[in-house]
Amino acid sequence: MKLTSLLQFAIVGLVSVGTAYSQAKLVEKVTRKGNELVIPYEKYVLPNGLTVVVHEDHSDPIVHVDVTYHVGSAREEIGKSGFAHFFEHMMFQGSDHVADDEHFKIVTASGGTLNGSTNRDRTNYYETLPSNQLERALWLEADRMGFLLDAVTQKKFEIQRATVKNERGQNYDNRPYGLAGEYIAKNLYPYGHPYSWLTIGYVEDLNRVDVNDLKNFFLRWYGPNNAVLTVGGDVTPQQVLALANKYFGTIPRGPEVTKTIVPAVVLEKDRYVSYEDNVRFPMLQIAYPTVPNYHPDEPALDALAEILGGGRTSLFYKNLVKTQFAVQANAGHPTTELAGQFALSVLPFPGKRIDSTQALIRRTMAEFEKRGVTDDDMAQFRATRETQLIQGLSSVSGKVSQLAAYQTFLGNPNYLPQELKRLQSVTKEDVMRVYNQYIKGKNAVILTVYPKGKPETVTTPDNYTISTAGYKAPDYGYAGLKYNKPKDSFDRSVKPGPGPNPALKVPPFWNDKLANGIKVIGTRNDEVPTVTMLFTIKGGHLHSANDPGKAGIAQLTASMMNEATQNFTSEQLSQKLDKLGSDISIRASTEEINISVESLVKNLDSTLALLEEKLLRPRFSAEDFDRLKKQQIELVANQSTQPVVIANKAYNKLLYGAGNIRAVPVSGTTRTVESITLDDVKAFYQKYLSPTVTNLVIVGDVEQKAVMSKLAFLNKWAAKPVTVPTAAVTRKVDKTRLYLIDKEQAAQSEIRIGYLTDLPYDATGDYYRASLANYMLGGAFNSRINMNLREDKGFTYGARSGFASTHTPGPFTAQAGVKAAATDSSVVEFVKEMTRYAKSGITPEELDFVKSSLGQSDALRYETSLQKAFFLNRIIDYNLPKNFVEQQSDILRKITKAEIDAIAKKRLPVNNMIITVVGNKQRIKPSLEKLGYEIVELDKEGDPVGTSANQKGNEAPPAKMSGGKGE
């Protein structure tokens, strides 16, 4: 649907609608006429209090279903933190009529995707499916709303408790700066405040709760009167309402839920707090208490954050990043239902003092007061936020999520026009007023995260101790709750079948070519008034194969192209782009340099003029080069603090061999980046960036002829011959070994198991068939690997496997982050599942699942502009036939169990794989030694322990081996 329309808002009143859904009361109907930004919908309320919002959009044959409950971690009690999120996990563990782990299986087999999320104020559950699966989705959601508790068992409870602990370990405890938010929350808000703990909760609280606590939580908060069912896509309101009445209408109303009211946070003094972390850069974060979301002052505070630290035109960037004082400096204003915070965050380079950082921040604030707010500041803010609102409507899921949020927190799904009006009406005076009211001279929480072993980084001692004085626990009304199941006139155990298959809409596309050799592919997408362009310049990091001592130069060149041009400074370019609501980003990857362009249709000409500057006239100034080179060297060094990066680097080096450029990260190494000069960057740009190796994808509300005429400037780009290195990869693994990398005090271990295949990417050959074979092993949520390690054992937050090839053969990899105590057991289970699959193959039931799931999922693949762009990019990159999707469908339909079994047997050589483990060696090595593998210890660069500095980067003999039995 186009967003070229006027709002027609009709309050229809509490009148009944047709006989098929006569219980539902139509509250309001919003349609669109003209050019106002609005999401059309109809809103109903069932007698049990369930609000139903329906958005009709027939542009794609899909439906998105969202059930949002107005309960998050803010409804928890002291000592029971993390419960709302824990309960979200339990909602996927089956109900009376849906067996254990069947929710994921049913939706995935229907060609859909699903998930849930919890934040401070709400929990939502959602599915995107082909539109003929609507009834099945509503049946599933209603069953867990009305029939959950008898299916909750102690075993399920324990497994999901372990999974949540793993999630905390992966996303908080084992991640640099992962606990910063927790420290801010518990020190900014009073003891017992609903926001004084994070949604993930504390491990000791998770250990404390029992299954009865969980059941009471469900009975208190999960009633239909505390929920919003929002459905959007290729549906009609009549269709949705009839099914909503059938499946949700008999669910009894739950206890009443009232809005939480808390006083505004007031700090009596600056609260200095700190903690030690395994990081390279210290971090200073300053958090001021502000206002909740939808407060009248929220947009002005958002604008203030953009001006101070929102991008390259911000004062923080100018004074802290541009001056090479900090690697990163920004400001933000996150808000939620009960409160907000204005956060300033700076990562100074190692050796910079925290008191110097604070002094720079104070000087920057003083400069802002003197400078004031400019007209350009406001134009940039308004344009950027308007574009963000429009882009959020590019998918049915985006529109449904917005409607659900507005209804949950405001009772008004039609808040979008008012949101836009709020943004457009913010004045310069408003911004200065909120600065004086909430920031200037006000107290804040001032957090320092200091590198391990460097407590001297903290220049102001901690001065705040959390006090429990005055706290009174709220009575949330858990006493006397009873479980009342719905009483129906139909059999809920009968799983609804799908409706008629929707017509699949593979986007029609056109091809063209510019005079200098750029290949162009595009499609019209008129659902939102935007244009997406993706340039792919082949080569990227691979060109460093010609000069390995300069590895990292592709990334440094791309970074330089994001800076000043011959006619504009980088700040001027950013300002122009922000005022247009546009974005131009240049990035390097292993095989490409990518340029992405996002623009509103009305601003495309102006955006392309700036693209011409960036692509054809980069300035390559010495000042920019010095700063970006220093940042890249520091970021390379910082990788040694991140377990995921350590594991990936070591695994790639083992796969390809230290002499292969694919074994070196795109960022390079400290040594290689140090060797790069400005002349090297200029030469790389001149030698390797050419239209002869460039593809361009265009998706948007533009016609081929019109957009091609706008691209004439690209013919100024002179063509030159470029050869992309294609060195053959022949590295083989003689036997399975385990490579261990020590990550001191790591809460989790990162595991990578795999080998380098001989399969390049192809869309309809052996690679595609191998991907089909892997889907049941480790490609789907309910694959064997994930169900074993996550759902059955509780070892991990998620485990998967897959093939990853491009024009050259890539690896097969099975991977997960697992709790440290289960490292050895996880390796065993990975190998066991691969061995069993290679030996016995797929079951007939699993094969049916693969065909059903992948056969119907095409309906979801081409909805948004970005999805269409990636689809077209694959066609042009691999020169695929126009009907390759139909060819894939035919292969999928005809593939047999015997074919899958043969692929599994051939492609899972468990005796010739690389096992890489990054974790706390002191804790995990003794148990790993018992597995019988030869163990090779590596350092954080992926080199054998004991390798001298001048040997790094070359093949070296293994050192410090233990075990030795082999497989």
Side-chain angles (χ1 to χ4, degrees):
M1 293 184 183
K2 291 187 178 181
L3 293 176
T4 53
S5 38
L6 255 198
L7 169 66
Q8 180 188 28
F9 184 69
I11 300 294
V12 183
L14 296 176
V15 296
S16 63
V17 296
T19 56
Y21 47 100
S22 57
Q23 297 178 57
K25 301 299 181 181
L26 177 58
V27 177
E28 62 192 21
K29 179 177 180 178
V30 171
T31 58
R32 180 193 297 127
K33 288 183 180 178
N35 58 6
E36 193 162 0
L37 197 64
V38 65
I39 309 171
Y41 67 88
E42 293 184 16
K43 173 181 168 181
Y44 300 82
V45 176
L46 302 189
N48 61 6
L50 178 68
T51 300
V52 182
V53 180
V54 186
H55 165 64
E56 188 172 356
D57 177 356
H58 301 290
S59 57
D60 292 283
I62 63 175
V63 61
H64 185 80
V65 175
D66 178 290
V67 180
T68 296
Y69 296 87
H70 197 169
V71 57
S73 59
R75 305 278 191 184
E76 295 166 352
E77 304 170 87
I78 286 287
K80 295 181 181 179
S81 66
F83 213 82
H85 173 249
F86 183 12
F87 191 79
E88 175 212 321
H89 281 248
M90 293 301 301
M91 283 281 276
F92 289 95
Q93 299 309 304
S95 47
D96 278 5
H97 310 106
V98 182
D100 299 359
D101 303 315
E102 279 288 296
H103 202 112
F104 270 96
K105 184 175 181 179
I106 289 170
V107 173
T108 309
S110 301
T113 62
L114 72 161
N115 215 324
S117 70
T118 310
N119 63 28
R120 288 168 161 176
D121 307 308
R122 64 99 187 102
T123 307
N124 72 337
Y125 304 88
Y126 50 90
E127 299 90 9
T128 307
L129 302 106
S131 52
N132 64 325
Q133 303 285 353
L134 170 66
E135 183 171 5
R136 188 169 289 180
L138 295 179
W139 170 73
L140 284 166
E141 289 295 348
D143 209 66
R144 57 182 173 186
M145 180 186 283
F147 298 88
L148 182 83
L149 291 192
D150 285 347
V152 173
T153 65
Q154 189 67 34
K155 180 181 178 182
K156 292 180 186 179
F157 179 84
E158 295 299 343
I159 289 173
Q160 291 310 309
R161 171 154 53 188
T163 300
V164 173
K165 290 180 186 178
N166 288 324
E167 182 177 356
R168 179 183 168 99
Q170 180 173 313
N171 294 335
Y172 297 86
D173 301 329
N174 214 39
R175 179 172 291 180
Y177 314 105
L179 297 178
E182 187 168 274
Y183 272 80
I184 290 289
K186 68 184 180 182
N187 288 287
L188 180 64
Y189 298 103
Y191 179 82
H193 187 285
Y195 289 171
S196 61
W197 54 84
L198 295 190
T199 302
I200 194 68
Y202 296 107
V203 169
E204 56 267 29
D205 288 355
L206 291 170
N207 289 335
R208 185 180 296 120
V209 297
D210 61 34
V211 72
N212 291 318
D213 293 317
L214 180 140
K215 292 182 177 182
N216 273 331
F217 192 88
F218 173 82
L219 294 172
R220 179 63 187 92
W221 305 111
Y222 271 70
N225 50 306
N226 196 37
V228 178
L229 167 65
T230 311
V231 180
D234 188 20
V235 297
T236 65
Q238 294 87 350
Q239 179 187 14
V240 173
L241 261 294
L243 294 171
N245 258 322
K246 176 179 180 179
Y247 291 112
F248 291 89
T250 58
I251 298 174
R253 189 180 187 93
E256 294 307 307
V257 177
T258 57
K259 183 178 176 63
T260 301
I261 299 174
V262 293
V265 174
V266 178
L267 305 183
E268 73 291 349
K269 63 178 180 180
D270 283 335
R271 298 176 178 177
Y272 285 90
V273 293
S274 64
Y275 77 94
E276 182 182 72
D277 200 356
N278 186 18
V279 295
R280 178 172 178 81
F281 309 109
M283 181 173 77
L284 176 68
Q285 194 168 93
I286 303 174
Y288 298 88
T290 61
V291 299
N293 53 11
Y294 309 116
H295 186 282
D297 286 343
E298 182 189 14
L301 284 160
D302 290 345
L304 175 63
E306 287 292 317
I307 295 165
L308 287 177
R312 294 181 182 222
T313 60
S314 71
L315 294 173
F316 269 38
Y317 185 84
K318 177 177 76 74
N319 293 347
L320 287 102
V321 178
K322 193 86 170 178
T323 60
Q324 300 188 38
F325 181 90
V327 69
Q328 181 179 308
N330 52 54
H333 183 233
T335 59
T336 39
E337 186 177 19
L338 305 180
Q341 62 192 58
F342 195 92
L344 309 174
S345 183
V346 180
L347 271 64
F349 281 109
K352 302 294 185 182
R353 290 176 58 86
I354 291 298
D355 53 0
S356 300
T357 308
Q358 287 185 259
L360 258 176
I361 291 173
R362 286 193 293 270
R363 288 201 295 271
T364 301
M365 295 298 202
E367 180 184 344
F368 169 72
E369 292 180 39
K370 184 177 179 180
R371 164 193 179 274
V373 182
T374 67
D375 290 335
D376 282 340
D377 289 335
M378 300 313 299
Q380 288 172 245
F381 171 72
R382 295 188 189 109
T384 300
R385 291 306 173 94
E386 179 186 1
T387 300
Q388 289 172 352
L389 284 175
I390 291 173
Q391 289 175 337
L393 308 181
S394 63
S395 66
V396 170
S397 63
K399 288 179 277 191
V400 165
S401 298
Q402 197 67 276
L403 290 170
Y406 287 149
Q407 172 60 37
T408 299
F409 298 121
L410 298 170
N412 174 21
N414 190 45
Y415 190 73
L416 186 59
Q418 191 173 335
E419 181 79 1
L420 184 61
K421 184 178 179 181
R422 286 205 315 159
L423 295 172
Q424 292 171 335
S425 62
V426 176
T427 67
K428 294 186 289 185
E429 292 74 21
D430 288 332
V431 178
M432 291 307 302
R433 175 181 56 79
V434 297
Y435 171 75
N436 288 312
Q437 183 174 345
Y438 299 101
I439 310 300
K440 183 180 179 181
K442 300 300 185 290
N443 297 318
V445 172
I446 302 170
L447 170 68
T448 301
V449 183
Y450 60 93
K452 184 175 292 185
K454 296 184 178 179
E456 68 277 6
T457 304
V458 180
T459 53
T460 304
D462 294 6
N463 70 346
Y464 179 69
T465 302
I466 298 170
S467 171
T468 62
Y471 170 70
K472 182 180 179 182
D475 181 4
Y476 281 127
Y478 286 108
L481 295 174
K482 294 183 179 180
Y483 182 31
N484 299 311
K485 289 188 182 182
K487 294 178 172 59
D488 297 306
S489 58
F490 67 98
D491 185 359
R492 283 190 187 257
S493 65
V494 179
K495 179 173 67 176
N501 286 336
L504 181 62
K505 296 181 181 179
V506 176
F509 57 88
W510 48 264
N511 293 91
D512 216 320
K513 191 172 184 178
L514 290 169
N516 59 359
I518 297 177
K519 297 176 183 177
V520 187
I521 188 171
T523 188
R524 177 82 182 273
N525 180 30
D526 62 0
E527 293 183 45
V528 286
T530 63
V531 178
T532 297
M533 294 185 176
L534 296 178
F535 289 81
T536 301
I537 306 170
K538 297 180 181 178
H541 178 59
L542 290 181
H543 285 304
S544 290
N546 298 321
D547 189 357
K550 304 286 186 182
I553 192 170
Q555 181 168 307
L556 190 51
T557 302
S559 298
M560 290 289 288
M561 292 176 69
N562 282 314
E563 295 293 331
T565 68
Q566 294 172 20
N567 295 312
F568 302 104
T569 66
S570 61
E571 291 81 6
Q572 289 170 330
L573 287 166
S574 293
Q575 185 180 74
K576 289 176 179 294
L577 286 167
D578 288 346
K579 288 169 74 173
L580 296 169
S582 301
D583 181 72
I584 301 174
S585 299
I586 305 174
R587 298 180 179 87
S589 63
T590 301
E591 300 185 355
E592 303 158 349
I593 287 180
N594 305 102
I595 305 174
S596 64
V597 181
E598 296 283 351
S599 173
L600 298 177
V601 172
K602 65 183 180 181
N603 295 331
L604 183 58
D605 289 342
S606 299
T607 303
L608 292 177
L610 299 175
L611 172 65
E612 180 178 353
E613 282 289 317
K614 282 177 168 282
L615 177 60
L616 303 183
R617 290 187 283 276
R619 185 181 298 180
F620 292 136
S621 75
E623 179 186 1
D624 287 339
F625 175 78
D626 290 342
R627 172 172 45 84
L628 293 174
K629 179 177 175 178
K630 179 181 178 181
Q631 287 182 359
Q632 190 161 323
I633 289 171
E634 289 294 339
L635 291 172
V636 168
N638 187 51
Q639 292 171 354
S640 65
T641 67
Q642 303 171 51
V644 171
V645 179
I646 295 169
N648 291 338
K649 283 173 60 176
Y651 181 63
N652 281 338
K653 186 173 284 191
L654 293 164
L655 282 173
Y656 294 102
N660 192 305
I661 195 61
R662 292 178 182 271
V664 182
V666 176
S667 56
T669 68
T670 301
R671 179 174 55 82
T672 62
V673 178
E674 283 175 343
S675 73
I676 299 171
T677 67
L678 180 55
D679 285 340
D680 291 330
V681 169
K682 292 177 180 178
F684 188 93
Y685 169 81
Q686 290 295 339
K687 186 174 182 180
Y688 296 127
L689 273 70
S690 170
T692 57
V693 288
T694 298
N695 296 332
L696 170 58
V697 177
I698 304 171
V699 178
D701 194 7
V702 287
E703 297 287 355
Q704 176 184 358
K705 184 177 180 180
V707 75
M708 288 301 295
S709 68
K710 297 177 187 295
L711 299 176
F713 73 91
L714 289 172
N715 283 312
K716 300 176 186 177
W717 190 10
K720 57 178 105 45
V722 174
T723 301
V724 178
T726 56
V729 176
T730 58
R731 186 170 174 81
K732 301 295 182 183
V733 178
D734 62 337
K735 70 172 183 177
T736 297
R737 291 183 180 86
L738 192 152
Y739 297 86
L740 176 61
I741 302 170
D742 187 21
K743 182 68 172 67
E744 306 85 353
Q745 306 304 314
Q748 286 199 310
S749 300
E750 287 290 332
I751 297 174
R752 307 288 183 272
I753 305 176
Y755 72 102
L756 193 59
T757 73
D758 59 358
L759 288 172
Y761 171 84
D762 66 68
T764 55
D766 289 345
Y767 180 84
Y768 175 65
R769 288 174 170 83
S771 298
L772 297 181
N774 174 73
Y775 192 67
M776 205 62 244
L777 175 65
F781 179 89
N782 54 305
S783 66
R784 293 186 181 186
I785 285 174
N786 194 58
M787 294 304 290
N788 182 337
L789 273 77
R790 172 180 160 137
E791 297 299 297
D792 295 341
K793 305 292 193 308
F795 290 166
T796 180
Y797 182 48
R800 64 186 187 274
S801 66
F803 294 86
S805 295
T806 56
H807 292 278
T808 55
F812 166 83
T813 307
Q815 64 186 89
V818 303
K819 60 184 180 182
T823 304
D824 58 329
S825 300
S826 297
V827 171
V828 168
E829 294 303 321
F830 266 122
V831 174
K832 184 180 79 175
E833 290 296 348
M834 288 188 285
T835 302
R836 189 161 64 96
Y837 200 54
K839 182 178 180 180
S840 303
I842 197 168
T843 67
E845 294 77 17
E846 288 174 331
L847 182 58
D848 289 342
F849 170 82
V850 172
K851 291 186 176 186
S852 176
S853 175
L854 297 179
Q856 298 180 78
S857 64
D858 275 346
L860 278 62
R861 290 182 182 173
Y862 318 115
E863 181 191 11
T864 67
S865 291
L866 204 57
Q867 285 177 310
K868 289 180 171 73
F870 286 138
F871 169 71
L872 296 181
N873 190 59
R874 180 144 294 191
I875 289 175
I876 196 170
D877 189 18
Y878 292 98
N879 194 29
L880 301 179
K882 284 194 171 184
N883 69 337
F884 87 92
V885 173
E886 288 84 353
Q887 292 182 35
Q888 287 184 334
S889 297
D890 189 57
I891 293 168
L892 176 64
R893 186 170 57 254
K894 294 178 179 177
I895 200 165
T896 65
K897 170 176 164 51
E899 289 178 271
I900 295 285
D901 292 353
I903 294 167
K905 184 176 182 179
K906 180 179 181 180
R907 300 294 175 188
L908 295 173
V910 291
N911 294 322
N912 301 94
M913 288 191 178
I914 295 163
I915 303 175
T916 307
V917 178
V918 178
N920 183 347
K921 182 179 77 171
Q922 184 178 359
R923 185 176 181 186
I924 66 176
K925 184 180 178 182
S927 58
L928 289 174
E929 288 177 325
K930 296 176 183 178
L931 300 184
Y933 296 108
E934 178 183 326
I935 295 180
V936 182
E937 291 187 40
L938 305 178
D939 62 20
K940 291 183 175 65
E941 296 303 313
D943 295 306
V945 171
T947 306
S948 64
N950 61 3
Q951 287 180 299
K952 298 263 183 174
N954 300 313
E955 291 284 3
K960 284 202 175 181
M961 295 183 183
S962 59
K965 282 171 62 179
E967 177 97 343

